[in-house]
Structure formats: structure tokens, C-alpha cells
Amino acid sequence: MHGIPVPRYAFVNREVPYQELDYFVEEDDFVEVHGNRFWKPFVEKPIDGDDHSIMIYYPSSAGGGMKELFRKVGNRSSEFHPEVRKVRREGSYIYEEFKPTGGTDVKVYTVGPEYAHAEARKSPVVDGVVMRNPDGKEVRYPVLLTPTEKQMARGVYNAFRQAVCGFDLLRSDGHSYVCDVNGWSFVKNSHKYYDDAACVLRKMFLDEKAPHLSSVIPPTLPWKLNESVQPSEGLTRQGSGIIGTFGQSEELRCVIAIIRHGDRTPKQKVKLKVTEEKLLNLMLKYNGGRPRSETKLKSAIQLQDLLDATRMLVPRTRQGRESDSETEDLEHAEKLRQVKAVLEEGGHFSGIYRKVQLKPLKWVKVARSNGEGEEERPVEALMVLKYGGVLTHAGRKQAEELGRYFRYNMYPGEGTGLLRLHSTFRHDLKIYSSDEGRVQMSAAAFAKGLLDLEGQLTPILVSLVSKDSSMLDGLENASTEMEEAKARLNKIITSCAKTVQNDDSSECPWMVDGTGLPSNASELLPKLMQLTKKVTEQVRLLAKDEDEELTDVIPPYDQAKALGKTNIDVDRIAAGLPCGSEGFLLMYARWKKLERDLYNERRLLFDVTQIPDVYDSCKYDLLHNAHLKLEGLDELFKVAQILADGVIPNEYGINPNQKLKIGSKIARRLLGKILIDLRNTREEAISVTDLKSNQDRLSSSKKAEKEDTEYKSKLYIKNDDMRRNSTASDVSMDQDDDDDKETQYRLDAQYAANVNTPERHVRTRLYFTSESHIHSLVNVLRYCDLDESLQGEDSLLCHNTLERLYKTKELDYMSYIVLRMFENTEVALEDPKRFRIEMTFSRGADLSPLENNDSEAASLHQEHILPIMGPERLQEVGSYLTLEKMEKMIRPFAMPAEDFPPPSIPVGFSGYFAKSALLERLRPLFTMWAAVVMPQGLL
């Protein structure tokens, strides 16, 4: 009614508990109220305002489950229940769209229509742990409100006519929403708020009962007039070990990291042609009845339908080869059995790790059921089931540990610095992930370690991680070039001639075509095939002899409950079963497919594109299934590693120019976003410097002029924007006009008495992706100077770094590239050396599971975990890479800023760092300065 934005919602009213309502529908991943659909995650609130039991339900794609929010009990404000997936039906509820707020809640407290004080706290939806200070009080920090949010606070007062009240403010996706208004709500433990509230209330009383006094009594308390302002102390700077040191006059402004996901299970794919009517009907059911259209099955309902159909089609007993005359029928039955086993994993369909595609291949015309004419019906379709690629307990542990490492080493302050920056609204953190489940969960686990969070990953994922598949997924843009590279690679390796030159003798071996490929690659292929067959046969016998009664004793692997696990499956290992969710049947299917795809016995041809998959399976089983003692697996791993170290990098280009072209096509959007991040950080830092300089000049002018208290009082009353009791924010430094659709909010320095450097601000952007994007970025960084537009420019990387990258054979799980941007505050703003870029990279968990000489690695190996290698410099010690140089070298390969979608800005707010907006923000300061130094008549 009052135009105040609120999250989308709907009411469900029940007269009696568990009353069935025809307008309310619940499915696995949504509820529908009067046709209004709410997809998970959504919020469920009791209509009774005194009932504070609020639930958040999470989608199966994120692991499912429910988080219960409640009034603080000790240090807890919420609990996660991974097994709860159905909503409550015993009462009446409001269903509300969930708004991700980056893990922070904002509480706004109003006193009258013109005063609003805002405080930020850690949101209970993240891990439910309440942050408390040494006195036991919840940690909160005052923050600035945008002009739109101030208007919303005024609207709340006008709507309820409640002079003193409070409400929650949800800041999400560049917009703000009001929810949960509470009457007579006020701030605790803020002396500044008490003073302001006293002034506002006093004026309200005087306006009502003694208006003749209201205009002469100063709005500021008398003992506050001459209160001195404490100068800001500089942030303690310290060295950061391997990564580098902070200069004496340098401030860290930005941290950008591109990170590969953690350890995962091998990715799998099953292909089979289906003619069964049940499966064809299922395809028609989910593609809208279009006989020539494919369909994708991902949701729990769709996969359950497929499982029901498959169970009816799979033979109840395995037929021996001697009793089955048709080999293709036997293979088809085995593939159906494999599909059934994959769908039955875990007992439910939580987690993003099973996808099915049904594509029609043949059609016939049949008579319509009503006898009127003919219609097309599919008679054959291709079914493709993709599964596996699930983040393991080791991957979760790796990601969490790396997040903890970043907290202690990438920011000043020995670990506590980042947490204090973040909790005081001086850390602008955004985490992006591709659409793959293993990547999303790696991002959530990393955030858990970075921000010292507790509990399950699902709430952290939904609250802090944003998906951006267009930027971090897929190879489609470079598919043609990659196919060309793979075709040439296959020809080089399978050729009997020694076509690969020994590049170690070259001064720049990384510039040689096919660099890294072993000269005896063609000789290694038969040995690779022989050893693969040996391992496959052993797994086949294990699958054949698998004791069904034994597997009944061990509970099925629950993928949803495993989302937060960081330890090994002791029970399964003790029972002699494969680690994780994979049974012997699926393990055999994995190895059998590798054997079949690696070498075509009819055509007598090797497929070298299968080498990375053989290596992947070897490494996984050596790390997680060493207890199965597969003979020859370690030897197979060594051969596969030699070949994979040459094959994998060359799949992204055989020569430097091709590597650069493929890399720029895959990472074009990501590179553009990185340049936007750096540019926005620079503009923000410059604008804050300008603003602070103007504030300092204003402060000096005020001290030079001695105006009496009455004149100051009138000035404050005249200028509504400058009155302290009008709002908790004089100048809202809350947003930048970001091309990356991001909104910034800031700490309120006036109220942050316990924060030494309230103006300090660090931007962090974390991009979680797959191996392809890491290879692509590395290739652009080391070969960018080969572009025609950059002829004559020095390389971004020094010779020693290029040599080190050449010797880096693998960019393994949790490999990463970090760009940190520093500002030298003693250099002029227009000087290119004002902003410096530091680049580091890590090979990730690039350690052999056969490593015996590393005591730490051996200890971790007992937990099925490989350690992450430390960061290495991409520049010489003492070198200076300016932001200007970085932009010049990367821009030809990056998506232009104008091609990105326009920023999402709240209505009525233009953005802080737009030039026109900046002038508007500075106008009150100049007005006040003019009022102090100029005669009253001129004002």
C-alpha cells in the first residue's frame, strides 16, 4: 500500500492443523500458492508474529535440507537439518522468496520520520554461529544507508505511525527489501545512537508541546559540541611470506582469484540407444509431446520417473554370455543395469551430479488415438547419462584449507585482519561459480575456511555463492579450435615417426609445437592398453563376486549428508568396498568404458583423447581405493602420467598462437570481468581519496572560523542533509556504478568508534571454475605479447617464470591464479605507479599419490588427501607491473565492458562513483563549507 519494497510472498491460512488446501501444492523443489510458485530456496514464516520459528528450505540441486532460524540461544541462532525436505502443515504460514544477502543482515532503527540508524551483523542463515565480543554482546557494526533506503525507513514510519521502531533490511542483487517490522525496537549498546535518539525525541516533544523552544535549543547535546575526533590509525602492514610484502606506503585494494575445484570422483557417461516404449513415452512427457525434440532430465521428479521405468526394464538376473545369442542385447541390458545403479545411489536425488539427455533418432507415422489422421511417434532415441564428477571429502577438505590459507596470507593482519574487515563492512566479497556441482561446493567450502564459518555447506552455498555459467562454464566458444588441436595431437602421438622434437635443448621450449609430448609416446600406447585391460579384469572379478548380503549391511552412501564430510568412509573401506558412492558395478563400468574407448579393436586405432580419463581414474583409485590392491595400477599410473602431462596442455593448443586463440575464446568473458574489477577498484580508490581530501579541507575551514552555537544550530536545522539526527549516514558511500551488476555498501565511520581505519576498503572477487579456464588464463598471460596489436611489448611474465610454467606439467585440483592490486598512497593519482598488480599461481594438489619422500604428504595420504602446493610468483622479485600495463596486455582478449549486461541499480539511486553522482554526494559538503566561511547573506 505504501510502495515499500518487500520480497515476493503468499499466505497459506489453515483453520485447523494439517488442513488440506486445494490452492496449496508442494513438490520436491517448489511450493505453489494460488498458482504463485516459489522455487527453493524459499522462506517459511508463521503468520503469528510471536512465533519466531522461521524455516528456509534448500533445493535438491544444492543438497536439499532445511535451516531453522530462532531467537538466539547461547551462541546459536539457527540449525541446519539436512534430512528435512517437506514444509510444515500444522499451522498458517507466509511463504517468501529467499533473498541472498552475502551473509549479512542489516537492522534499521527509526526514531521519527527523519532518523534511521542501521547496523550490520552476521546473518543467521550462513552457519548459525553468533559473533560475540568479549563482553558477550552480539557483534554489530553501523553501516550507511542509501538514499532509497532512507526513503524506505521514512515510509515504514509513515505506514505504521510508530515513532520508535525497527525492521530488517535485505540487500540483495542491487536492491533493498523491508521485512519483519517490530514496534518499539531500539539499538542496544550504542552511545551515539542513544544521544541521537535523545535529541530527536526531545525535538519531537518540544515541537508538540513547546514549539517556541524547539527552534532555539541546539539539536546536539551540549557536551558533544567540542568533542574531538580521533585520527585514523594506519593499518599495520606486514610481509606475507612467499607471496610478497606490502610496501611501506602501499595499501591492499583488491584480491582476485581464479580457482579450480577440489578433488572429485571421475566423470562418467553412459550412452545407449533405446527403443522401449516406457522410455520413449517418458521423453514425450517432458518435451511437451514433440516427437522430434530432445529433453533433459535433472529434477528429482524426472529422475524418479526414469528410475521407475528402468527398474521395470532391467532383467532380474544376469544372463551368461553362453545363453545369450545376441551380444548387443547383453550389452544393452548391462547399460540399463548401470543406469539403474547410478539412479539408485544414495536413496534420493540430492546434489548436482546426475543428468540425463534423451534425443529422438527415428520416427514413424501412426494413426491418432481419436482416429482423426496421423501423427509422428519416436521409435528410437539416444539416451546419455552423465554422472560422477562429485566433490569428494578430500576436495571439501582441500577447498576449506585453501580458504583458511587465503585468510592468513592474502590479507594483512595475520588472519584476523580479513575477518575484521569483513565483519565491519569494509570487505566487499563476491564469490562466483560455474554451474557444476563440484565447483559450487568447492566455492562454499572455500568460503567456510576463508570466513571461519561452521556447519554444513548447503546454507553457505545458497547465501554466499552466485552462479555464472556464461562466464565460468563450457568450451563451446573454442570447440572448433580444440577439435583441430586434438586431431593433430592424435596424429602426432599415433604416428610411428619421431615427429616430436626434443624441446628441452631449446632456449624457449615453451614456444615449440607440441611442447611437453614424450618422444616415445607411440611406444607407450600399447603398454597403456595392456595395463588398462589388466586392471579392468580385476575390477570385473570384484563386481562379479560382490557379496550382496555384505552390501546390505553397509548403509547406502548418502550424497546429501556427504556434502559437508571431510573424512574418509571408514566403514566401506573396512568392508572391502570402494570409497565414496561408487559400488563395484559402477567401478567396473568405468574401467570397461576406458578400455573400450581407448582402443578400437576393429579399426586397430588408439584414441589419445582418452588418455586424460585413464590418468584421472588411476589417480583417483590410487588415492581413494588403494585398499583394493589392484595389481598393476601403480605402473599404469606412471605410464598414463607421462602421456597425460603432454596431452592435456596440448589439447588447449599445439603451438603458442593456437594456445592464445583458444585461451582467449574460453576465458574472454572472465578476462573482461577481471578488468572491470580492477577498473572499479581503481575508480573507487580515487573517488574516496578525492572525497577525503575535500573533507579535510572542509574540516580545516571549520576550525578557522569560530561561529557561535546558535548560528550552528540554525545551520544544522536549515540543511536537512547535514543534520546528524536526520539519518545515520551523511554521505552514503554505498554503491559504485559497477558494470558487473554489483552494489557496494559501507561502514558508517561516525558510529564506528572502535574501528581505526573506517575508510579502508578491500574488494575480493573469487571465481571458481574448471581446469579449462585455468589453462586458458595461464596461456593468455604467457603468450599475450604474441598478438599483432601488441608487437614490441614486453611479455607480462619474465623468462624465469615462463620456464617454471613450462616445467609445470599439471594444473591439478585447487590450482589457482591470484591478482592482488595495491595502491601507493604517496604517488600522485595520475602516476601509472599509483596502482601495482602482483600475480601468483599455484599448481594445486600436484603431487603423485605414489609419493613416499614427503612425510606431510604421506600423513595426508592416509586421509585420501593430497596437499596443495604453495603459491609461486609470476613476476621477478622487485619487478613492478602497473595496472595500466596489465590492462593494455589483456584488453585485446577480454570481453569489452560495454558488452556486459547493464548494471542493476536500485530505483532512485544512480550509484556512488558515477561522476554526476559523486558531485551530488559532495554538494552537501560544499554547502556546509560555504555556510561556514561565507557571510550569512550570501548563503
Side-chain angles (χ1 to χ4, degrees):
M1 286 175 58
H2 293 268
I4 302 169
V6 297
R8 186 170 62 91
Y9 67 93
F11 291 107
V12 173
N13 291 294
R14 290 187 177 89
E15 296 179 0
V16 294
Y18 304 101
Q19 178 185 1
E20 291 295 327
L21 303 169
D22 57 3
Y23 62 80
F24 181 76
V25 178
E26 179 180 12
E27 297 291 352
D28 283 346
D29 274 335
F30 67 84
V31 294
E32 199 169 277
V33 184
H34 293 295
N36 192 8
R37 183 169 295 185
F38 292 84
W39 289 96
K40 293 180 179 178
F42 58 71
V43 184
E44 178 187 68
K45 300 178 180 179
I47 286 182
D48 180 2
D50 292 326
D51 186 346
H52 296 274
S53 179
I54 296 173
M55 312 295 192
I56 300 173
Y57 296 89
Y58 297 100
S60 57
S61 62
M66 175 272 290
K67 169 150 280 194
E68 180 183 8
L69 311 183
F70 44 78
R71 286 198 161 179
K72 292 185 285 289
V73 178
N75 72 329
R76 303 293 306 179
S77 59
S78 68
E79 289 292 340
F80 181 65
H81 304 278
E83 72 286 351
V84 178
R85 292 176 168 82
K86 297 293 184 181
V87 302
R88 293 175 287 181
R89 294 173 179 265
E90 58 267 29
S92 298
Y93 302 98
I94 301 172
Y95 289 93
E96 191 174 279
E97 184 180 15
F98 178 81
K99 295 291 184 183
T101 61
T104 304
D105 274 356
V106 177
K107 301 284 185 180
V108 181
Y109 302 89
T110 66
V111 183
E114 296 181 351
Y115 179 90
H117 174 86
E119 292 186 343
R121 66 164 187 175
K122 180 181 173 185
S123 172
V125 308
V126 181
D127 64 354
V129 178
V130 180
M131 293 177 61
R132 296 188 182 277
N133 62 24
D135 297 327
K137 306 295 184 182
E138 183 180 25
V139 175
R140 296 185 178 187
Y141 286 94
V143 292
L144 297 165
L145 294 175
T146 70
T148 301
E149 290 169 343
K150 298 174 193 177
Q151 197 60 38
M152 290 162 62
R154 182 190 296 267
V156 169
Y157 167 82
N158 291 333
F160 291 91
R161 288 297 169 183
Q162 183 84 31
V164 180
C165 72
F167 60 87
D168 291 346
L169 190 68
L170 305 179
R171 289 170 162 176
S172 178
D173 297 327
H175 296 79
S176 298
Y177 306 86
V178 169
C179 67
D180 300 336
V181 178
N182 302 300
W184 290 106
S185 183
F186 48 87
V187 182
K188 304 170 181 64
N189 309 308
S190 172
H191 294 295
K192 184 67 177 65
Y193 166 80
Y194 293 152
D195 292 346
D196 286 349
C199 291
V200 175
L201 289 171
R202 178 179 63 182
K203 188 172 189 312
M204 290 170 63
F205 297 152
L206 291 174
D207 285 344
E208 181 67 24
K209 297 299 182 182
H212 60 288
L213 296 176
S214 178
S215 60
V216 297
I217 295 181
T220 306
L221 297 176
W223 56 86
K224 294 290 180 181
L225 283 176
N226 299 316
E227 194 175 66
S228 60
V229 178
Q230 295 295 324
S232 297
E233 299 176 12
L235 189 75
T236 302
R237 298 179 179 86
Q238 61 167 25
S240 51
I242 300 173
I243 298 175
T245 59
F246 296 89
Q248 291 300 311
S249 58
E250 283 190 328
E251 286 279 358
L252 177 66
R253 291 292 180 231
C254 183
V255 176
I256 298 172
I258 303 91
I259 307 170
R260 188 184 174 188
H261 58 77
D263 180 72
R264 56 156 174 79
T265 63
K267 293 185 289 185
Q268 295 295 295
K269 184 187 294 185
V270 183
K271 286 185 178 181
L272 67 158
K273 292 181 180 179
V274 296
T275 57
E276 292 84 352
E277 188 175 357
K278 289 184 180 297
L279 297 176
L280 297 175
N281 287 339
L282 187 65
M283 179 178 67
L284 292 172
K285 176 181 178 181
Y286 289 112
N287 71 4
R290 294 168 292 179
R292 291 178 179 261
S293 298
E294 65 179 61
T295 186
K296 294 180 180 179
L297 310 179
K298 294 173 64 175
S299 72
I301 297 175
Q302 294 170 336
L303 294 176
Q304 184 63 56
D305 277 354
L306 178 61
L307 176 57
D308 293 341
T310 308
R311 281 171 172 166
M312 299 177 69
L313 296 171
V314 171
R316 294 188 177 276
T317 59
R318 287 191 177 94
Q319 294 180 334
R321 188 178 296 273
E322 66 279 1
S323 62
D324 195 321
S325 58
E326 294 290 341
T327 304
E328 290 185 2
D329 289 347
L330 178 62
E331 184 178 333
H332 183 76
E334 287 299 319
K335 286 187 175 181
L336 280 176
R337 187 175 284 109
Q338 186 180 349
V339 171
K340 173 177 172 288
V342 171
L343 295 176
E344 287 178 337
E345 277 189 88
H348 49 75
F349 298 103
S350 295
I352 315 171
Y353 75 117
R354 284 171 285 202
K355 301 175 184 177
V356 179
Q357 182 182 18
L358 285 165
K359 184 178 182 179
L361 299 176
K362 294 180 182 178
W363 310 263
V364 295
K365 288 190 175 182
V366 299
R368 295 182 184 273
S369 56
N370 59 8
E372 298 179 1
E374 294 180 330
E375 64 179 357
E376 281 189 331
R377 292 279 298 178
V379 293
E380 185 180 69
L382 176 66
M383 177 191 290
V384 181
L385 167 62
K386 295 181 181 180
Y387 66 99
V390 184
L391 195 68
T392 65
H393 76 277
R396 289 183 285 275
K397 185 75 171 177
Q398 288 171 332
E400 189 173 335
E401 287 298 323
L402 185 60
R404 192 172 291 113
Y405 176 85
F406 268 52
R407 185 193 343 145
Y408 280 93
N409 294 279
M410 293 295 175
Y411 303 85
E414 299 181 341
T416 59
L418 171 65
L419 295 181
R420 184 158 174 81
L421 276 173
H422 193 76
S423 65
T424 56
F425 249 62
R426 294 177 296 158
H427 180 220
D428 177 16
L429 171 67
K430 295 289 188 302
I431 304 175
Y432 298 93
S433 162
S434 71
D435 194 46
E436 297 292 343
R438 58 184 171 272
V439 182
Q440 293 181 45
M441 287 302 170
S442 296
F446 183 96
K448 182 177 180 180
L450 180 73
L451 300 178
D452 198 24
L453 303 174
E454 298 181 11
Q456 297 274 359
L457 296 184
T458 296
I460 298 173
L461 169 65
V462 173
S463 300
L464 297 178
V465 180
S466 301
K467 286 193 295 184
D468 194 325
S469 59
S470 62
M471 180 168 61
L472 299 168
D473 263 329
L475 307 174
E476 292 80 6
N477 293 336
S479 57
T480 302
E481 290 80 3
M482 289 193 71
E483 288 302 320
E484 292 175 359
K486 289 179 181 179
R488 188 173 173 201
L489 187 62
N490 193 78
K491 185 176 181 180
I492 292 174
I493 293 179
T494 56
S495 171
C496 294
K498 206 169 184 180
T499 55
V500 181
Q501 58 182 323
N502 186 357
D503 48 28
D504 287 332
S505 60
S506 170
E507 184 180 350
C508 300
W510 52 89
M511 300 298 291
V512 176
D513 287 14
T515 181
L517 286 172
S519 57
N520 64 336
S522 61
E523 301 169 9
L524 293 175
L525 289 177
K527 188 174 183 180
L528 183 75
M529 186 64 218
Q530 179 188 358
L531 291 169
T532 300
K533 284 187 173 183
K534 184 177 181 179
V535 172
T536 303
E537 177 60 19
Q538 293 176 75
V539 180
R540 186 187 71 82
L541 294 175
L542 289 171
K544 180 180 178 182
D545 298 337
E546 185 173 3
D547 189 339
E548 299 294 340
E549 293 182 3
L550 178 62
T551 59
D552 288 339
V553 174
I554 305 300
Y557 188 86
D558 191 323
Q559 183 66 34
K561 291 184 179 179
L563 288 176
K565 283 183 63 175
T566 52
N567 56 342
I568 59 177
D569 298 290
V570 178
D571 292 339
R572 292 181 62 84
I573 293 173
L577 297 173
C579 186
S581 62
E582 191 176 52
F584 281 122
L585 173 62
L586 295 180
M587 187 177 180
Y588 170 63
R590 165 163 59 92
W591 278 101
K592 185 64 180 176
K593 185 176 186 300
L594 289 173
E595 176 191 312
R596 185 170 56 246
D597 294 346
L598 180 62
Y599 182 67
N600 189 319
E601 293 185 347
R602 285 182 294 181
R603 301 175 61 190
L604 304 179
L605 290 176
F606 285 97
D607 182 358
V608 300
T609 63
Q610 298 301 313
I611 290 173
D613 293 336
V614 175
Y615 172 67
D616 189 30
S617 275
C618 286
K619 191 169 185 178
Y620 175 82
D621 284 334
L622 279 174
L623 185 62
H624 297 286
N625 291 323
H627 60 286
L628 299 180
K629 294 180 172 56
L630 298 174
E631 185 181 350
L633 183 62
D634 53 350
E635 188 179 0
L636 175 59
F637 171 77
K638 293 175 183 177
V639 176
Q641 186 179 40
I642 293 172
L643 289 167
D645 284 349
V647 168
I648 294 174
N650 282 286
E651 287 185 328
Y652 299 96
I654 294 293
N655 55 58
N657 284 306
Q658 194 176 40
K659 290 179 190 291
L660 180 60
K661 185 176 182 180
I662 291 175
S664 62
K665 284 196 170 187
I666 291 175
R668 181 172 180 265
R669 190 180 184 92
L670 177 57
L671 287 166
K673 180 63 166 61
I674 290 171
L675 291 184
I676 286 174
D677 294 336
L678 294 173
R679 185 203 67 193
N680 286 334
T681 304
R682 175 188 59 204
E683 291 182 358
E684 173 192 325
I686 291 174
S687 297
V688 170
T689 300
D690 288 341
L691 179 60
K692 189 176 179 182
S693 176
N694 282 299
Q695 288 175 325
D696 290 342
R697 286 198 296 269
L698 172 61
S699 177
S700 300
S701 299
K702 286 177 62 179
K703 289 178 181 178
E705 291 292 329
K706 293 184 179 180
E707 301 290 337
D708 58 23
T709 303
E710 181 178 356
Y711 173 74
K712 288 183 179 179
S713 172
K714 291 180 180 178
L715 172 63
Y716 272 99
I717 293 172
K718 284 183 179 179
N719 193 336
D720 184 68
D721 284 336
M722 292 305 300
R723 288 187 305 172
R724 285 194 174 183
N725 61 352
S726 67
T727 179
S729 110
D730 286 346
V731 180
S732 297
M733 298 171 61
D734 43 46
Q735 291 184 337
D736 61 355
D737 195 4
D738 239 319
D739 284 334
D740 57 0
K741 299 191 295 185
E742 294 167 353
T743 303
Q744 286 189 14
Y745 303 96
R746 291 239 178 196
L747 179 74
D748 187 348
Q750 290 186 30
Y751 288 68
N754 58 340
V755 178
N756 290 332
T757 54
E759 76 285 347
R760 189 170 195 277
H761 196 249
V762 176
R763 178 191 299 257
T764 297
R765 294 293 180 269
L766 305 175
Y767 301 96
F768 287 83
T769 184
S770 56
E771 182 182 20
S772 61
H773 280 68
I774 300 295
H775 275 285
S776 298
L777 282 172
V778 168
N779 284 339
V780 170
L781 290 176
R782 63 177 168 178
Y783 294 124
C784 58
D785 59 302
L786 300 180
D787 188 74
E788 292 181 359
S789 66
L790 298 172
Q791 290 296 325
E793 291 287 341
D794 293 334
S795 172
L796 270 181
L797 311 182
C798 64
H799 188 277
N800 289 340
T801 298
L802 292 171
E803 187 173 7
R804 191 162 60 248
L805 284 174
Y806 163 71
K807 293 178 179 178
T808 298
K809 300 301 182 183
E810 186 174 5
L811 295 172
D812 213 318
Y813 300 128
M814 302 311 302
S815 54
Y816 59 85
I817 301 168
V818 174
L819 283 72
R820 295 197 301 172
M821 180 167 139
F822 297 87
E823 181 183 11
N824 188 337
T825 54
E826 293 186 357
V827 174
L829 283 175
E830 61 275 8
D831 192 323
K833 290 190 175 182
R834 176 82 180 199
F835 296 99
R836 175 176 70 88
I837 302 296
E838 175 192 88
M839 296 189 295
T840 55
F841 90 105
S842 167
R843 309 191 313 269
D846 180 24
L847 196 68
S848 168
L850 300 177
E851 177 66 50
N852 295 319
N853 299 326
D854 190 320
S855 58
E856 180 189 0
S859 174
L860 288 170
H861 192 218
Q862 298 297 318
E863 298 294 324
H864 297 192
I865 299 172
L866 292 178
I868 301 171
M869 301 295 101
E872 302 177 55
R873 285 181 173 272
L874 288 175
Q875 302 146 279
E876 290 281 13
V877 176
S879 64
Y880 203 99
L881 175 61
T882 65
L883 173 59
E884 185 179 280
K885 169 79 170 180
M886 182 76 180
E887 287 180 319
K888 181 178 182 179
M889 300 298 289
I890 297 300
R891 191 176 291 113
F893 317 100
M895 177 181 284
E898 56 268 22
D899 289 353
F900 279 78
S904 176
I905 300 296
V907 177
F909 185 67
S910 59
Y912 178 66
F913 290 107
K915 290 183 179 179
S916 58
L918 178 60
L919 293 175
E920 288 303 313
R921 300 298 179 89
L922 293 176
R923 192 182 305 280
L925 293 174
F926 291 127
T927 303
M928 185 176 183
W929 172 79
V932 173
V933 301
M934 290 184 179
Q936 186 174 0
L938 292 178
L939 176 65

